[in-house]
Every structure is written in structure tokens, then in C-alpha cells.
């Protein structure tokens, strides 16, 4: 692992067999996860598959001599952004799923066609492009990855860096604005609430369920606050009894008392 | 591996992500496919950085990540607002620009 | 062949523009003056033509007194364009002075007559304005020294004719007749304007001196073309076949209009055109033959129509058509006939105007009745009119020593002596025409003046007032003496010789054709007396023979025009409209429908689904990369 992390500026043309093997395994896993992502029906499953892809990619960054980027991918991208996705899925409906039927005619066929076309074109172009082997690094980059990145960000790319900062601030403010719910009326104070209660005539809150219960038998229906009974409160296997019926005290049948003649 | 393999992988992931955008109806899933496309681009950038031997590609990939994060934030906030108004997360429901 | 040599105007002739100015001034004042000039309008309307006549006499005597009898007065330069110079010049020569005297003299008499005839008409002032306009235009026509000024006058008289035929604007028949006259004239005008254009292209000039000087060098084809086109123009204005249909309808106008315009002057403009263009006709025997043929056909045509009409004015109109046919025939005979044409024209001015004024007098007395079957026995009641009418009648039928004999018979004579077989045929037809003339005029006399009184109930005919009878008396004097005055001692012949050439030696007045013509005339009189003098005239017209029915319908002239010209024209219009609606509009509408249909189909791409839009974006991105790939490969 460490030699992977350290494999950077002085990278050579060919990697070791271990790196190759890892690459092929990760490649298949990521492609499979991506395909699964677009084929599963539930949104949560999609998010999980995307997480798998991102983790594979993080590993690949590490293999290519970008350890900083690998960790940022895991921490920020997978850890923060994807979790954000999962929060929204939870809020919107965890069980919401797409139907399989396509509503737009010919969309799937056209999408497939476009995809194959773009794939072929891109493969052709990179085939023709001069993508050479991994280069030997120059002397200036003979420091470790983090220092090199820092040097680039804060010198050559400092302006984009500042702008990106502004972008982040804007995004945060924007999110707050979008999620904000405007009050249409002023917030009622305690005085307003008390006045409302007075006017409505019901000063005390409604009693909690069970306060007015006279009985707690299972076959006796519960009382609603206005005094009516609720049929739903009794199990259907039992026969509900009239709630107003006074239950006779339950006494065991006692034998008749032995009345002595002597008393009469 | 020579960088070309990584670029080829990135192309495959990009195309899969594109198909996903076109085919899925749930807005959140569409968003996630867009994220997949962005990740594929990041991979290509890093591969090119290795090819050129300098770190510019990695810096660009870094910035892409930052921008993607900001985009996700705002996008999901919009999605939440739409969901609150319409009670539906389907992309097909926003079709008022129909002829 | 004659050529025209002019000198600049001298002496009194330098004021020749007064001839135009007097009537034009009258017209402008009367037409622009409006109702304010109603009270004195007729006085101005009479004064201006009389003033023009006085000046005309002065000009005539000045011309007689000088050896330069072709005088050209330059007024101003009308079209001073390089390559096409046209001047507004007045040419006072022998031919034009004859016409000037006729127009202003007879015109003044008729206008004096109309003071009485139109006295009950509230629009009388407008009438005098139009009459003065007519006189100004007609004088411009005969005084112009180039074809373009002649054309300006030509159009002016056409306009005046239209205005005067449709003078009673509330009558639909009058408006229709005015339009018909204008349109028929327009066909002839097209011929004249093409002739002028041809002159310009061939000779570079349209003035008389220029054209007559160079026409000899052009080919005979050009001369024939010009001759035929000028004949077409003359046919339109003079109501010769084939453009004769408008003359009988033109009788819708007031009777003084019929007398002045459609008897004495405007319809003779065609003859003036042909006689003036004699150097052109001299070069083309074919054109001359065509002219003679047209004249002969028309004189028979007009005569036959006149025999069957019960309307006195329409019968006289047919007679006018016929007499102008004689004049045209004379103009087609070359120098042998020009003088007699002009002589007949001048004499005809007197007797035809006299006949029309007489008819107007009868109408005035009979409450505007025109149907001769309602007349009869008027000679006792309207003595002066009957006497003047009778003298004009004797003149027109060619009884010696009245005008017609001296002027018409030489034309027939020239026919026979000049032109071989064609001449014999035309001459024979002209003789028949003389007989027909005598017949219909005798018929008119007996139906109107003698016989049983067939008046309508409530009619009390009376003689006309002096303002109407005195002009008729003067015209009767002219009818009696004009012919002898002009022809005896070759007076007119010698006067006009420099302009129209010298006719060959005449054979005296009692030649064989002349005597035969006289015999035919007497036969016609006898037939007329037998049919209308001896037997009483029925009050209602009988069915009549096939020829009578045809003649009542103007020998189907209108029917011919309608079927050959009007209906195809209407069909052409309908076809154009159809083509415009289906073809042109169809093309435009199809284009619009195509755009609409296409947009209707294409808009279905906007499904509103985000995923469709994403698909399009995807495809677009793929295309872009493909493009880059293609470029880079």
C-alpha cells in the first residue's frame, strides 16, 4: 500500500503486476456498480451503488499517484455529498420507486443509440489521440504530492481558488434561501395564544386519552373527547358492550346461606 | 497501467452516467447519474496529469470536486422546494413547456 | 403629290391664337364660374363663338389677299427634347381656314339656336361651357401644324362629345351612350397614336412639313401602314364601319349637340385627317383602296339603317353615317376626289345641321317626342321649319341646283372614270346609295310634315321662337347655295389645289353617272311617296321584312361587337381572376400552408419533458465531438 501511495513523480511506464490486477478488478466492479445504479428501481439502492463507484475511483486515484485526491474523494465526495443525497431521499420518500414502463416513446432506444454513438466516437478519438505513457516527472515536481498541489493551488491557480470560495459561499446562502419558509403572519406571542384560547371557549386543553375512561375492559369501547364511542378501539373478535351499561358486580355463585331455625 | 486504460474506463463510466440521466425518472437518481459523469471526468483528468507528469490535472480534478459539491447542495435544495410544492419527485412532471 | 411649304405668319394672322382663345376663355369662365354665371352664361357662350367667327372671316380675307396662303404661327415649344421636337404651332392654310369657317360659322348658328332650345334647362350654362370647350378643341384639331397637336384636339373633341352626349346626367341611357362613344373612339385613337409613333420612328418628326417631306423616301410599306392606321383613326371619329356603333346611341344628347358634333363638325374630323394626309395616301394605292372600300360599305350601311328607323334623330344619324361614307369614298379616290370630299363636307355641314335643327324644332313643339309615327301633318302648324327642312331635304338628295347635286355627283363620277373595275363596282354601289338616300329622306318628309295627323293626345305643336328659326333660315340658305358656290367655276378646286392637288379635267355636271344618279334619286323619291305619301302611315310599326328587322337593330352592329369583343373580353377577365385566385393566390397560400404545416409538425418536438431535451443535448454533444474528430483526423 505504501509503495502505491509513494508511487508518484518518478512513476515509470509499467506498473507492477499487483497494480494491474487491482486495476482490472476495480474496473469491473465500478462498471458493474454503475450499470446497477442505472438499472435498480429504488433510489436508496442507487445511492449505495454510487458509493461503491466512488470508492473504486478513490482507489484508482491513489494508484495513479494522487493520494490527496483519493482521500478528498472519500471524505468529501462519498462522505458528505453522497450522504446529502441519502438525507434527501429519506425526506422525499424512501420507498419511492420508478415504474419500469417508459412514458416517452422511443426514449430508451434513442438513449441507447446516443450512448453507443458517443462511446464509439470517444473511443475513436482517444485511440487516435497521442496518449503517451506516464511521463517522467520534472525536477520541479520532486516534492510529495501534497506540497506540489498546494504550491499549484496557491500560486498558479489562486484566482480560481478564490472564485471557488465565493461559489461555495453563494451555494450555502442559496441553499438556505431555498429551504426557507416565509412566515405569512407575525409569530403569535403567548398573549395572542391566550387571547385565542379565551375566545374559543375552551380554556383548558383537551384531556389526554384515557382521562375520562370509566372502565378499562378490553371489550368496552373507548370514549372520544366529545363523548361518543370509537368502534375502532375494540378488537373485532370481541363483541363490544354498551358503554353505558353498568356492569353488574361479578360475584361467584355462592350456595344459599344455611339459615338456622334457631335464628328464626 | 498506461493512462489510456484509465481514460477508456472514464469514457465507459461517462456514457453509463449519460444513459442514466436520459432513462431514469426520479430526480434524485438523475442527480446521482450526473455525479457519476463528473467522477468519470475526474478520473480522466488524473490520468492526464499522470501522462503529462505535472499536477495540473489533479488541481483541476480538485476544483471539479468542489464545484460538484456546491452544485449538489443547491440542486437538492431546489428539489426539496419543488417536492414541497408538488409532492412528486418525478422529472416528467415538470412539462409545462409542452407545445 | 403635294408638299407643304409654310411661311411664318404675318399681319392679322399673327393673332390666329385668338381662334382658340375665344372659345377656351368662354369654356373656362362658364365651367369654373358655377351657378353664379347662370344668368349671363348663355350670352358669353354665344359671344365667344361669334367672336371667333368674326376673326375667322378676317383671317380668311387676309389669306385671300396674300400670295403666301400657308402660314405657320409659332406659339411655344411644347416638347423640346433632343431628338423629338414638337411645337405648339398653328397652321393657317387653305384647308384649315375652310374648316375654321365651317366650325365657327355653323357652330355660332347652332349655339344661338340652343339659347332657345335649352331655355327650360336649368343646366344651360354648363351646356354652353361644354360647347365652347368643344369648339376650342375642334379648332385646335384643324389648326395644328403637326400630328401631335392634331391628336390633342382629337382627344379634346372626344372628351367634349362624351360630356355632351351624357349631358343629362340623370338619364342612364345617356351615360351608357356617352361611354359607348368614348370607348369606340378610343379604338380609333389607338390607330392614330400608333400612326404618330410610327411617324416618329420612321421620320423623327411628326410635323406636317416634316412628314410629308420625308415620306417619299420611306418605303411603300410604311406609307401603307400609316395610311391604314390613319384610316382606323378616322373610322373611330367619323363613325365608319367597323367603329360605327356609337353614332346612333349618341342621339341621346340634346339636339344641338347632335347637330354640331355628330353632323357638322366632329364626325368630319376623320375626313379632315385623311385629306390632310393626302401625301401619305398618294404613295399607297392599297391604303386608298381601303379608304374607298370603307366609305362605300358605310354609305350603304348607314343608308339601310336610316330606312328603318322611326326615331327621327336616329334616322338622321344613319344619314350622317352614310354621307360621311361618301366623303370617305371621295378621300380614297386621290386628288380626283379630295376637293369634292371637302365640298360635300362643307355643304353637308349646312344641310345636315339644318335638318337636325329642324328635327329639334319639331321635338320642341311636340314635347320632345321623337317617334315619327306620332308626327304627321305638321307642315301647316310649323311653316318656317317645314320650309327650311324641305330645302335641306332637296339639297341632300341631290336635286339640281341644290348643294348635294354639285358635291355628291362628282364623287360618283370620279369613281367611274378613275379606277377600273374596282371603280365601277364602287360607283355602282354609290349610285344605289344615292337612291337609298332619296328614299329614306322622302320617307322622313312624308311621315313628319304631310299626311294624317297621328299626334299624341295633349300635343299642341307650335312654331319655334325666332331665336331658333333664324339660324335654321341661314342654314337653309347655305344648303341651297353652298354647293353651287363652291363647285361652279372650280372655285374651291383652285383654292385648295396647293394643298390637295389638282383633280383631272372634269367633264361638266351632267355626265352619264351624274344623270344616272339623278334618276336613282328620283326613283327613290317616287318609292318613298308611294309607300309613305300615298298610303297612310300606320301609327304602330309593322313587323317588317327580314331586312327591316335587321336595320331596326342597326344591322346587328351591337350584337357583333358584343359577341366578338365584349364576351371574349369578359371571359378573359374571368380567366384572369380565376388564375389570380387559384394560381397566384394558390401559390402564396400553399407556401403559407406549407410553413404552417411544417411548423405544426415540428413543434411536436417540444414535448416539455426534461429528458427529451437532455437527449437532444446528448446528441448535440456527440455531433460536436464527431465534428472535432473529423477535423482532426
Amino acid at each position: 500500500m505504501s509503495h502505491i501511495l509513494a508511487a508518484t513523480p518518478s512513476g515509470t511506464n509499467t506498473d507492477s503486476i499487483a497494480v494491474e490486477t487491482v486495476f482490472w478488478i476495480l474496473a469491473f466492479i465500478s462498471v458493474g456498480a454503475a450499470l446497477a445504479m442505472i438499472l435498480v428501481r429504488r433510489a436508496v439502492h442507487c445511492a449505495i451503488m454510487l458509493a461503491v463507484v466512488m470508492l473504486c475511483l478513490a482507489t484508482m486515484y491513489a494508484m495513479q499517484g494522487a493520494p490527496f485526491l483519493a482521500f478528498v474523494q472519500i471524505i468529501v465526495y462519498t462522505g458528505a455529498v453522497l450522504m446529502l443525497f441519502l438525507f434527501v431521499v429519506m425526506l422525499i420518500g424512501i420507498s419511492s420507486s420508478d415504474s419500469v414502463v417508459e412514458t416517452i416513446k422511443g426514449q430508451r432506444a434513442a438513449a441507447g443509440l446516443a450512448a453507443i454513438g458517443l462511446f464509439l466516437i470517444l473511443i475513436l478519438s482517444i485511440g487516435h489521440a497521442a496518449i503517451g505513457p506516464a511521463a517522467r516527472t520534472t525536477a520541479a515536481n520532486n516534492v510529495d504530492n501534497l506540497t506540489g498541489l498546494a504550491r499549484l493551488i496557491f500560486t498558479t491557480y489562486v484566482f480560481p481558488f478564490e472564485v471557488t470560495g465565493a461559489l461555495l459561499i453563494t451555494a450555502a446562502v442559496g441553499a438556505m434561501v431555498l429551504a426557507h419558509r416565509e412566515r405569512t403572519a407575525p409569530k403569535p406571542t403567548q398573549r395572542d395564544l391566550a387571547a385565542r384560547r379565551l375566545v374559543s371557549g375552551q380554556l383548558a386543553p383537551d384531556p389526554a386519552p384515557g382521562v375520562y375512561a370509566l372502565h378499562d375492559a378490553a371489550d368496552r369501547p373507548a370514549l372520544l373527547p366529545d363523548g361518543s364511542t370509537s368502534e375502532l378501539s375494540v378488537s373485532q373478535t370481541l363483541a363490544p358492550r354498551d358503554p353505558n351499561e353498568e356492569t353488574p358486580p361479578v360475584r361467584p355463585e355462592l350456595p344459599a346461606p344455611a339459615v338456622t331455625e334457631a335464628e328464626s | 497501467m498506461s493512462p489510456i486504460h484509465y481514460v477508456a474506463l472514464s469514457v465507459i463510466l461517462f456514457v453509463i452516467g449519460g444513459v442514466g440521466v436520459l432513462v431514469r425518472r426520479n430526480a434524485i437518481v438523475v442527480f446521482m447519474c450526473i455525479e457519476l459523469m463528473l467522477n468519470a471526468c475526474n478520473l480522466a483528468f488524473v490520468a492526464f496529469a499522470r501522462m503529462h507528469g505535472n499536477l495540473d490535472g489533479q488541481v483541476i480534478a480538485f476544483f471539479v470536486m468542489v464545484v460538484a459539491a456546491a452544485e449538489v447542495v443547491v440542486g437538492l435544495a431546489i428539489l426539496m422546494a419543488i417536492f414541497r410544492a408538488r409532492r412528486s419527485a418525478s422529472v416528467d412532471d415538470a412539462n409545462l413547456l409542452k407545445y | 403629290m403635294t408638299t407643304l411649304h409654310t411661311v411664318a405668319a404675318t399681319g392679322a394672322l399673327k393673332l390666329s391664337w385668338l381662334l382658340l382663345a375665344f372659345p377656351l376663355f368662354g369654356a373656362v369662365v362658364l365651367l369654373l364660374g358655377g351657378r353664379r354665371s347662370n344668368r349671363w352664361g348663355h350670352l358669353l357662350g354665344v359671344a365667344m363663338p361669334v367672336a371667333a367667327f368674326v376673326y375667322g372671316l378676317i383671317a380668311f380675307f387676309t389669306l385671300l389677299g396674300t400670295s403666301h396662303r400657308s402660314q405657320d404661327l409659332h406659339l411655344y415649344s411644347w416638347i423640346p427634347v433632343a431628338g423629338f421636337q414638337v411645337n405648339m404651332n398653328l397652321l393657317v392654310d387653305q384647308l384649315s381656314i375652310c374648316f375654321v369657317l365651317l366650325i365657327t360659322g355653323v357652330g355660332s348658328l347652332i349655339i344661338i339656336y340652343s339659347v332657345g332650345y335649352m331655355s327650360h334647362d336649368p343646366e344651360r350654362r354648363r351646356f354652353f361651357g361644354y360647347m365652347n370647350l368643344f369648339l376650342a378643341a375642334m379648332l385646335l384639331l384643324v389648326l395644328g401644324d403637326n400630328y401631335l397637336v392634331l391628336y390633342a384636339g382629337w382627344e379634346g373633341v372626344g372628351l367634349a362629345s362624351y360630356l355632351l352626349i351624357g349631358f343629362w346626367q340623370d338619364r342612364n341611357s345617356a351615360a351608357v351612350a356617352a361611354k359607348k362613344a368614348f370607348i369606340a373612339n378610343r379604338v380609333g385613337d389607338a390607330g392614330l397614336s400608333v400612326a404618330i409613333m410610327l411617324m416618329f420612328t420612321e421620320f423623327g418628326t411628326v410635323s406636317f412639313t416634316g412628314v410629308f417631306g420625308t415620306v417619299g423616301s420611306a418605303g411603300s410599306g410604311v406609307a401603307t401602314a400609316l395610311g391604314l392606321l390613319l384610316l382606323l383613326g378616322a373610322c373611330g371619329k367619323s363613325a365608319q364601319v367597323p367603329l360605327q356603333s356609337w353614332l346612333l346611341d349618341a342621339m341621346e344628347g340634346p339636339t344641338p349637340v347632335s347637330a354640331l358634333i355628330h353632323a357638322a363638325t366632329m364626325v368630319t374630323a376623320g375626313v379632315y385627317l385623311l385629306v390632310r394626309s393626302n401625301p401619305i395616301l398618294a404613295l399607297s394605292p392599297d391604303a386608298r383602296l381601303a379608304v374607298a372600300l370603307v366609305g362605300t360599305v358605310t354609305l350603304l350601311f348607314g343608308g339601310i339603317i336610316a330606312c328603318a328607323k322611326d326615331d327621327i334623330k336616329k334616322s338622321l344619324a344613319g344619314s350622317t353615317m352614310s354621307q360621311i361614307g361618301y366623303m370617305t369614298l371621295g378621300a380614297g379616290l386621290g386628288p380626283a376626289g379630295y376637293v369634292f370630299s371637302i365640298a360635300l363636307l362643307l355643304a353637308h355641314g349646312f344641310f345636315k345641321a339644318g335638318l337636325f335643327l329642324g328635327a329639334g324644332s319639331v321635338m320642341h313643339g311636340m314635347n320632345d317626342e321623337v317617334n315619327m309615327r306620332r308626327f304627321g301633318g305638321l307642315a301647316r302648324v310649323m311653316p318656317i321649319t317645314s320650309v327650311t327642312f324641305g330645302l335641306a331635304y332637296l339639297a341632300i338628295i341631290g336635286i339640281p341646283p341644290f348643294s348635294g347635286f354639285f358635291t355628291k355627283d362628282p364623287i360618283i363620277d370620279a369613281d367611274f372614270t378613275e379606277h377600273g373595275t374596282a371603280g365601277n363596282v364602287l360607283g355602282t354601289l354609290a349610285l344605289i346609295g344615292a337612291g337609298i338616300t332619296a328614299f329614306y329622306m322622302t320617307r322622313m318628309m312624308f311621315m313628319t310634315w304631310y299626311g294624317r295627323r297621328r299626334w299624341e293626345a295633349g300635343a299642341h305643336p307650335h312654331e319655334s321662337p325666332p331665336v331658333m328659326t333664324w339660324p335654321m333660315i341661314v342654314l337653309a340658305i347655305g344648303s341651297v347655295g353652298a354647293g353651287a358656290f363652291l363647285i361652279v367655276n372650280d372655285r374651291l378646286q383652285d383654292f385648295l389645289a396647293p394643298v390637295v392637288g389638282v383633280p383631272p379635267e372634269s367633264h361638266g355636271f351632267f355626265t352619264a353617272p351624274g344623270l344616272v344618279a339623278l334618276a336613282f334619286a328620283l326613283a327613290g323619291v317616287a318609292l318613298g311617296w308611294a309607300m309613305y305619301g300615298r298610303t297612310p302611315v300606320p301609327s304602330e310599326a309593322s313587323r317588317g321584312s327580314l331586312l327591316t328587322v335587321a336595320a331596326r337593330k342597326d344591322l346587328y352592329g351591337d350584337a357583333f361587337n358584343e359577341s366578338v369583343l365584349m364576351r371574349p373580353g369578359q371571359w378573359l377577365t374571368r380567366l384572369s381572376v380565376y388564375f389570380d385566385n387559384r394560381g397566384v393566390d394558390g401559390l402564396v397560400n400553399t407556401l403559407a400552408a406549407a410553413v404552417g404545416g411544417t411548423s405544426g409538425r415540428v413543434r411536436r418536438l417540444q414535448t416539455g419533458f426534461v429528458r427529451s431535451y437532455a437527449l437532444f443535448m446528448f446528441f448535440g454533444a456527440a455531433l460536436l465531438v464527431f465534428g472535432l474528430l473529423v477535423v482532426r483526423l
Side-chain angles (χ1 to χ4, degrees), chain C residues 110 113 117 255-256 258-259 312-313 316 350-366 369-370 375 378 382-393 444-445 448-449 462-464 468-469 471-473 475-476 479:
Chain C
I110 294 175
Y113 174 93
Y117 187 80
T255 310
S258 309
I312 187 171
K313 283 180 69 176
L316 285 173
F350 282 108
F351 56 69
K352 189 48 67 63
L355 286 169
F356 264 110
L357 293 190
S361 177
V362 170
M363 284 163 62
H364 182 83
M366 293 290 282
E369 175 67 60
V370 288
F375 292 164
L378 286 170
M382 301 170 76
I384 304 178
T385 311
S386 68
V387 167
T388 57
F389 201 93
L391 290 173
Y393 156 75
M444 192 186 295
M445 284 292 288
T448 310
W449 300 110
H462 52 278
E463 185 57 81
S464 304
M468 287 169 72
T469 53
M472 287 196 284
I473 293 169
L475 287 171
S479 314

Side-chain angles (χ1 to χ4, degrees), chain A residues 15 20 23 31 34 37-38 40-41 43 46-47 50 53-54 57 60-61 63-66 68-69 72-73 77 81 85 88-89 91-92 96 98-99 101-103 107 111 115 119 126 131-135 137 141 145 148-149 152-153 157 161 164 167-168 171 175 178-179 181, chain B residues 1 3-9 11-16 19-20 22-26 28-29 31-33 35-36 38-39 42-43 46-48 50-56 58-59 61-63 65-70 72-74 76-81 83-84 89 92:
Chain A
D15 295 319
E20 261 201 59
F23 168 74
V31 170
M37 195 182 102
I38 66 170
V40 296
R41 287 173 52 194
C46 282
L50 186 61
V53 171
M54 284 184 184
L57 287 181
M60 285 194 203
Y61 295 156
M63 279 159 44
Q64 292 197 303
F68 175 68
L69 222 52
V72 167
Q73 169 92 347
Y77 227 134
V81 172
F85 268 113
V88 173
V89 167
L91 282 169
I92 283 181
S96 69
D98 283 350
S99 71
V101 177
E102 176 60 69
T103 49
Q107 176 83 350
F119 175 72
I126 63 173
I131 299 182
T137 56
N141 283 348
N145 185 255
L149 276 178
L152 269 182
I153 286 176
Y157 296 105
F161 172 74
T164 315
L167 172 69
L168 281 170
L178 281 167
R181 275 195 191 184
Chain B
M1 291 309 304
I4 194 162
H5 294 92
Y6 289 99
V7 177
L9 176 63
V11 166
I12 294 171
L13 287 175
F14 184 84
V15 168
I16 292 174
V19 169
L22 295 177
V23 165
R24 296 300 299 251
R25 263 201 301 285
N26 195 333
I28 303 179
V29 176
F31 235 125
M32 287 198 268
C33 294
E35 288 306 309
L36 178 59
L38 281 166
N39 275 289
N42 269 355
L43 180 61
V46 173
F48 287 133
R50 181 145 165 260
M51 184 185 101
H52 284 297
N54 55 21
L55 294 175
D56 289 55
Q58 293 186 17
V59 172
F62 177 71
F63 279 127
M65 265 185 226
V66 173
V67 169
V72 163
V73 161
V74 177
L76 287 176
I78 293 174
L79 204 67
M80 289 289 299
F83 182 77
R84 250 191 244 150
D92 281 351

Side-chain angles (χ1 to χ4, degrees), chain A:
Chain A
M1 181 75 163
S2 59
H3 72 270
I4 291 175
L5 287 174
T8 39
S10 54
T12 53
N13 191 7
T14 54
D15 295 319
S16 61
I17 191 79
V19 175
E20 261 201 59
T21 321
V22 171
F23 168 74
W24 281 109
I25 296 171
L26 286 179
F28 274 110
I29 292 174
S30 59
V31 170
L35 281 171
M37 195 182 102
I38 66 170
L39 291 175
V40 296
R41 287 173 52 194
R42 281 211 183 169
V44 181
H45 300 168
C46 282
I48 303 297
M49 291 298 116
L50 186 61
V52 168
V53 171
M54 284 184 184
L55 292 174
C56 294
L57 287 181
T59 320
M60 285 194 203
Y61 295 156
M63 279 159 44
Q64 292 197 303
F68 175 68
L69 222 52
F71 282 110
V72 167
Q73 169 92 347
I74 295 173
I75 296 169
V76 171
Y77 227 134
T78 318
V81 172
L82 202 57
M83 292 308 117
L84 201 55
F85 268 113
L86 279 170
F87 281 135
V88 173
V89 167
M90 280 193 287
L91 282 169
I92 283 181
I94 200 162
S95 61
S96 69
S97 55
D98 283 350
S99 71
V100 182
V101 177
E102 176 60 69
T103 49
I104 303 175
K105 265 197 316 201
Q107 176 83 350
R108 288 208 178 142
L113 194 68
I116 291 171
L118 189 63
F119 175 72
L120 285 172
I121 291 169
L122 285 171
I123 290 293
L124 269 173
S125 13
I126 63 173
H128 270 275
I131 299 182
R136 305 187 75 83
T137 56
T138 61
N141 283 348
N142 221 353
V143 292
D144 68 317
N145 185 255
L146 199 57
T147 317
L149 276 178
R151 210 172 265 174
L152 269 182
I153 286 176
F154 288 103
T155 54
T156 322
Y157 296 105
V158 67
F159 188 65
F161 172 74
E162 300 295 336
V163 170
T164 315
L167 172 69
L168 281 170
I169 296 174
T170 314
V173 171
M176 275 200 296
V177 165
L178 281 167
H180 179 63
R181 275 195 191 184
E182 194 65 52
R183 263 188 196 286
T184 48
K187 190 173 163 65
T189 59
Q190 193 176 22
R191 192 189 172 83
D192 297 329
L193 289 170
R196 248 187 252 168
R197 226 180 299 138
L198 223 64
V199 167
S200 71
Q202 184 184 340
L203 290 178
D206 283 334
V211 167
Y212 289 138
L214 297 173
H215 311 278
D216 59 359
D219 63 347
R220 200 173 275 279
L223 286 177
L224 293 173
D226 59 351
S228 60
T229 58
S230 166
E231 297 291 307
L232 297 171
S233 58
V234 176
S235 173
Q236 285 180 339
T237 51
L238 302 171
R241 287 205 298 199
D242 180 19
N244 294 324
E245 174 193 325
E246 280 294 323
T247 42
V250 176
R251 281 184 201 165
E253 278 298 332
L254 295 175
V259 174
T260 56
E261 269 119 29
E263 295 295 320
S264 67

